[in-house]
Amino acid sequence: LAKTTQPISMDSYEGQEVNITCSHNNIATNDYITWYQQFPSQGPRFIIQGYKTKVTNEVASLFIPADRKSSTLSLPRVSLSDTAVYYCLVGDGNRDDKIIFGKGTRLHILP
Amino acid sequence: DAGVTQSPTHLIKTRGQQVTLRCSPKSGHDTVSWYQQALGQGPQFIFQYYEEEERQRGNFPDRFSGHQFPNYSSELNVNALLLGDSALYLCASSLYGTGPYSNQPQHFGDGTRLSIL
């Protein structure tokens, strides 16, 4: 299983773009990269998923370099409501693939 | 379209007791996974149920057991409760074989907060 490494915490200000990088040096060929967001006392919520290059949706963008050993979640123009924990997961969706969340990145948005 | 619902939202038990937590999956989903989340930690996978059978299991003792019913709802049972079992217990649903990494990611409920005194 590919292990992921993320910064423990980050601070930013409202209106800025925030980039959270996740390292996954042992990523396998069939692995996808998935990001979840979790607010206090709520379950994680899917944000975005990608395999290579760039993926964008209404919430975020995900940048994946050619070697796929890292990925960057980009949140444009953050607001106070983006304060949450962000988890990076790597896996191939195989039914036997163990499901592992790390400790995530605590993002704190300041006014 | 109701999402994943869990009950109860909060529960207080004492050491040695037994507890049952319940989960109803999102409409259209057939697979239920359970996670334990201690304060300040990421969710830890307990087990996954599909077709009323346990399909995958994380590193949890046999005190943790589960069940899935024909309507896809599920229960998590924990026996002989320990102080360390205090946590947020999350249920997630998905379509079998898709899991959290696929194009159809898991949908989580808001959990049951279990406190052991």
Side-chain angles (χ1 to χ4, degrees), chain B residues 76-115:
Chain B
L76 165 66
N77 301 292
V78 187
N79 295 322
L81 287 167
L82 304 173
L83 293 178
D85 294 331
S86 294
L88 179 68
Y89 287 85
L90 294 163
C91 169
S93 71
S94 59
L95 287 173
Y96 188 57
T98 61
Y101 310 114
S102 73
N103 291 331
Q104 298 184 56
Q106 292 184 332
H107 291 249
F108 285 81
D110 286 337
T112 295
R113 174 70 63 187
L114 176 63
S115 298

Coordinates of all heavy atoms in Angstrom, one line a residue, chain B residues 76-115:
Chain B
L76 N -22.9 -2.1 14.0 CA -21.6 -2.3 14.6 C -21.8 -2.6 16.1 O -22.4 -1.8 16.8 CB -20.7 -1.0 14.4 CG -19.4 -1.0 15.3 CD1 -18.4 -2.1 14.8 CD2 -18.7 0.4 15.2
N77 N -21.2 -3.7 16.5 CA -21.3 -4.1 17.9 C -19.9 -4.1 18.5 O -19.0 -4.6 17.9 CB -21.9 -5.5 18.0 CG -23.3 -5.6 17.4 OD1 -24.2 -5.0 17.9 ND2 -23.4 -6.3 16.3
V78 N -19.8 -3.6 19.7 CA -18.6 -3.6 20.4 C -18.9 -4.2 21.8 O -19.7 -3.6 22.6 CB -17.9 -2.2 20.6 CG1 -16.6 -2.3 21.2 CG2 -17.8 -1.5 19.2
N79 N -18.2 -5.2 22.2 CA -18.4 -5.9 23.5 C -17.2 -5.5 24.4 O -16.2 -5.0 24.0 CB -18.3 -7.4 23.3 CG -19.5 -7.9 22.5 OD1 -20.6 -7.4 22.6 ND2 -19.2 -8.9 21.7
A80 N -17.5 -5.7 25.7 CA -16.5 -5.4 26.7 C -15.8 -4.1 26.5 O -14.5 -4.1 26.4 CB -15.5 -6.6 26.8
L81 N -16.5 -3.1 26.5 CA -16.0 -1.7 26.2 C -14.8 -1.3 27.1 O -14.9 -1.6 28.3 CB -17.1 -0.7 26.3 CG -18.2 -0.7 25.2 CD1 -19.4 0.1 25.6 CD2 -17.6 -0.3 23.9
L82 N -13.9 -0.7 26.5 CA -12.7 -0.2 27.2 C -12.7 1.4 27.0 O -13.3 1.9 26.1 CB -11.4 -0.7 26.5 CG -11.3 -2.2 26.5 CD1 -10.0 -2.6 25.7 CD2 -11.2 -2.8 27.9
L83 N -12.0 2.0 27.9 CA -11.9 3.5 27.9 C -11.4 3.9 26.5 O -11.9 4.9 26.0 CB -11.0 4.0 29.0 CG -11.5 3.9 30.4 CD1 -10.5 4.4 31.4 CD2 -12.8 4.6 30.6
G84 N -10.5 3.1 25.9 CA -9.9 3.5 24.6 C -10.8 3.3 23.5 O -10.5 3.7 22.4
D85 N -12.0 2.8 23.7 CA -13.0 2.7 22.6 C -13.8 4.0 22.5 O -14.6 4.1 21.5 CB -14.0 1.6 22.9 CG -13.4 0.2 22.9 OD1 -12.4 0.0 22.2 OD2 -13.9 -0.7 23.7
S86 N -13.5 5.0 23.3 CA -14.2 6.3 23.2 C -13.7 6.9 21.9 O -12.5 7.1 21.7 CB -13.8 7.2 24.3 OG -14.3 6.7 25.6
A87 N -14.6 7.2 21.0 CA -14.3 7.8 19.7 C -15.5 8.1 18.9 O -16.7 7.9 19.4 CB -13.5 6.7 18.9
L88 N -15.3 8.7 17.7 CA -16.4 8.9 16.8 C -16.4 7.7 15.8 O -15.4 7.4 15.2 CB -16.2 10.2 16.0 CG -17.2 10.6 14.9 CD1 -18.5 11.0 15.6 CD2 -16.7 11.7 14.1
Y89 N -17.6 7.1 15.7 CA -17.7 5.9 14.9 C -18.4 6.3 13.6 O -19.6 6.7 13.7 CB -18.4 4.8 15.6 CG -17.5 4.1 16.6 CD1 -17.4 4.7 17.9 CD2 -16.7 3.1 16.3 CE1 -16.5 4.2 18.8 CE2 -15.8 2.5 17.2 CZ -15.7 3.1 18.5 OH -14.8 2.6 19.4
L90 N -17.8 6.2 12.5 CA -18.3 6.6 11.2 C -18.7 5.4 10.4 O -18.0 4.4 10.3 CB -17.2 7.4 10.5 CG -16.8 8.7 11.1 CD1 -15.5 9.2 10.5 CD2 -17.9 9.8 10.9
C91 N -19.8 5.6 9.7 CA -20.3 4.6 8.7 C -20.2 5.2 7.3 O -20.4 6.4 7.1 CB -21.7 4.2 9.0 SG -22.5 3.3 7.8
A92 N -19.7 4.5 6.4 CA -19.6 4.9 5.0 C -20.3 3.9 4.1 O -20.1 2.7 4.3 CB -18.2 5.2 4.6
S93 N -20.9 4.4 3.0 CA -21.5 3.5 2.1 C -21.0 3.7 0.7 O -20.5 4.8 0.4 CB -23.1 3.6 2.1 OG -23.5 4.8 1.5
S94 N -21.0 2.7 -0.1 CA -20.5 2.8 -1.5 C -21.1 1.6 -2.3 O -21.9 0.8 -1.8 CB -19.0 2.7 -1.5 OG -18.6 1.5 -0.9
L95 N -20.7 1.5 -3.6 CA -21.1 0.4 -4.4 C -19.9 -0.6 -4.3 O -18.8 -0.2 -4.4 CB -21.3 0.8 -5.8 CG -22.6 1.5 -6.1 CD1 -22.7 2.0 -7.5 CD2 -23.8 0.6 -5.8
Y96 N -20.2 -1.9 -4.2 CA -19.2 -2.9 -4.0 C -18.1 -2.8 -5.1 O -18.5 -2.7 -6.3 CB -19.8 -4.3 -3.9 CG -18.8 -5.3 -3.5 CD1 -18.1 -5.2 -2.3 CD2 -18.5 -6.4 -4.3 CE1 -17.2 -6.2 -1.9 CE2 -17.6 -7.4 -3.9 CZ -16.9 -7.3 -2.7 OH -16.0 -8.2 -2.4
G97 N -16.9 -2.9 -4.7 CA -15.8 -2.9 -5.6 C -15.3 -1.5 -6.0 O -14.4 -1.4 -6.8
T98 N -16.0 -0.5 -5.6 CA -15.6 0.8 -5.9 C -14.8 1.5 -4.9 O -13.8 2.1 -5.2 CB -16.9 1.7 -6.2 OG1 -17.7 1.8 -5.0 CG2 -17.7 1.1 -7.3
G99 N -15.2 1.3 -3.6 CA -14.3 1.8 -2.5 C -14.1 3.3 -2.5 O -14.6 4.0 -3.3
P100 N -13.2 3.7 -1.7 CA -12.9 5.2 -1.5 C -12.0 5.7 -2.6 O -11.8 6.9 -2.7 CB -12.3 5.2 -0.2 CG -11.5 4.0 0.0 CD -12.4 2.9 -0.7
Y101 N -11.4 4.9 -3.4 CA -10.4 5.4 -4.4 C -10.9 5.4 -5.8 O -10.3 5.9 -6.7 CB -9.2 4.4 -4.4 CG -8.6 4.2 -3.0 CD1 -8.7 2.9 -2.5 CD2 -8.1 5.2 -2.3 CE1 -8.2 2.6 -1.2 CE2 -7.6 4.9 -1.0 CZ -7.6 3.6 -0.5 OH -7.2 3.4 0.7
S102 N -12.1 4.9 -6.0 CA -12.7 4.8 -7.3 C -13.4 6.1 -7.7 O -13.5 7.1 -7.0 CB -13.6 3.6 -7.4 OG -14.8 3.9 -6.8
N103 N -14.0 6.1 -8.9 CA -14.8 7.2 -9.3 C -16.1 7.4 -8.6 O -16.8 8.3 -8.7 CB -15.1 7.1 -10.8 CG -13.8 7.2 -11.7 OD1 -12.9 7.9 -11.3 ND2 -13.8 6.5 -12.8
Q104 N -16.4 6.4 -7.8 CA -17.6 6.5 -7.0 C -17.2 6.4 -5.5 O -17.2 5.3 -4.9 CB -18.6 5.4 -7.3 CG -19.0 5.5 -8.8 CD -20.1 4.4 -9.1 OE1 -21.1 4.3 -8.5 NE2 -19.8 3.6 -10.1
P105 N -16.7 7.4 -4.9 CA -16.2 7.4 -3.6 C -17.2 7.1 -2.5 O -18.4 7.1 -2.8 CB -15.6 8.8 -3.4 CG -16.4 9.6 -4.3 CD -16.7 8.8 -5.5
Q106 N -16.7 6.8 -1.3 CA -17.6 6.5 -0.2 C -18.3 7.8 0.2 O -17.8 8.9 0.2 CB -16.8 5.9 0.9 CG -16.3 4.5 0.7 CD -15.6 3.9 1.9 OE1 -15.1 4.7 2.7 NE2 -15.6 2.6 2.0
H107 N -19.5 7.6 0.7 CA -20.3 8.6 1.3 C -20.4 8.3 2.8 O -20.8 7.2 3.2 CB -21.7 8.7 0.7 CG -21.7 9.2 -0.7 ND1 -22.2 10.4 -1.0 CD2 -21.2 8.6 -1.8 CE1 -22.1 10.6 -2.3 NE2 -21.5 9.5 -2.8
F108 N -20.0 9.3 3.6 CA -20.0 9.1 5.1 C -21.2 9.7 5.8 O -21.7 10.8 5.4 CB -18.7 9.7 5.7 CG -17.4 9.0 5.4 CD1 -16.8 9.1 4.2 CD2 -16.9 8.2 6.4 CE1 -15.6 8.4 3.9 CE2 -15.7 7.5 6.1 CZ -15.1 7.6 4.9
G109 N -21.6 9.1 6.9 CA -22.5 9.7 7.8 C -21.7 10.6 8.7 O -20.5 10.7 8.7
D110 N -22.4 11.3 9.6 CA -21.8 12.2 10.6 C -21.4 11.5 11.9 O -20.9 12.1 12.8 CB -22.7 13.4 10.9 CG -22.8 14.3 9.7 OD1 -21.8 14.3 8.9 OD2 -23.8 15.1 9.6
G111 N -21.6 10.2 12.0 CA -21.0 9.4 13.0 C -21.8 9.3 14.3 O -22.8 10.1 14.5
T112 N -21.4 8.4 15.2 CA -21.9 8.3 16.5 C -20.8 8.6 17.5 O -19.7 7.9 17.4 CB -22.5 6.9 16.8 OG1 -23.6 6.6 16.0 CG2 -22.8 6.7 18.3
R113 N -21.0 9.6 18.3 CA -19.9 9.9 19.3 C -20.1 9.0 20.5 O -21.1 9.1 21.2 CB -20.0 11.3 19.7 CG -19.1 11.7 20.9 CD -17.6 11.8 20.5 NE -17.4 12.8 19.4 CZ -16.2 12.9 18.8 NH1 -15.2 12.1 19.2 NH2 -16.0 13.8 17.9
L114 N -19.2 8.0 20.8 CA -19.3 7.1 21.9 C -18.3 7.5 23.0 O -17.1 7.7 22.7 CB -19.0 5.7 21.4 CG -18.9 4.6 22.4 CD1 -20.3 4.4 23.1 CD2 -18.4 3.3 21.8
S115 N -18.8 7.7 24.2 CA -18.0 8.0 25.3 C -18.1 6.9 26.3 O -19.2 6.5 26.7 CB -18.5 9.3 25.9 OG -18.4 10.4 25.0

